[in-house]
Amino acid sequence: MKHALSTGPTPPLSLYPDQAFVRAKTLIELGLIPFSPSTLHRKIEAGTFPVPVSISANITAFRWGDIKEWLADP
């Protein structure tokens, strides 16, 4: 038996709290950032994009509040 994590459409990002986490892949797929994963990595290293948070040994994500702030003034 397969279980679904969600039973309906994904709510708009504007409804997510600032503490919510969003993965880089999601940012790119939704078109929220207009660059490739390698450019994203360079921008993080250069300090021109928010630094992701380590959620586990193999997973990093960005705080939604940091991304909203960056989107307001890239």
Side-chain angles (χ1 to χ4, degrees):
M1 181 176 191
K2 194 173 190 179
H3 295 279
L5 295 175
S6 174
T7 58
T10 303
L13 290 173
S14 61
L15 297 179
Y16 286 100
D18 287 349
Q19 299 82 13
F21 292 107
V22 61
R23 304 282 307 269
K25 180 179 178 181
T26 303
L27 293 174
I28 293 167
E29 287 176 352
L30 293 177
L32 292 173
I33 54 175
F35 33 83
S36 69
S38 57
T39 300
L40 174 61
H41 180 70
R42 285 192 297 273
K43 288 183 170 288
I44 293 167
E45 291 294 317
T48 59
F49 197 82
V51 176
V53 175
S54 180
I55 296 175
S56 72
N58 297 320
I59 298 176
T60 59
F62 298 92
R63 285 192 180 89
W64 175 236
D66 294 343
I67 299 302
K68 283 192 332 187
E69 190 176 305
W70 182 86
L71 289 170
D73 186 22

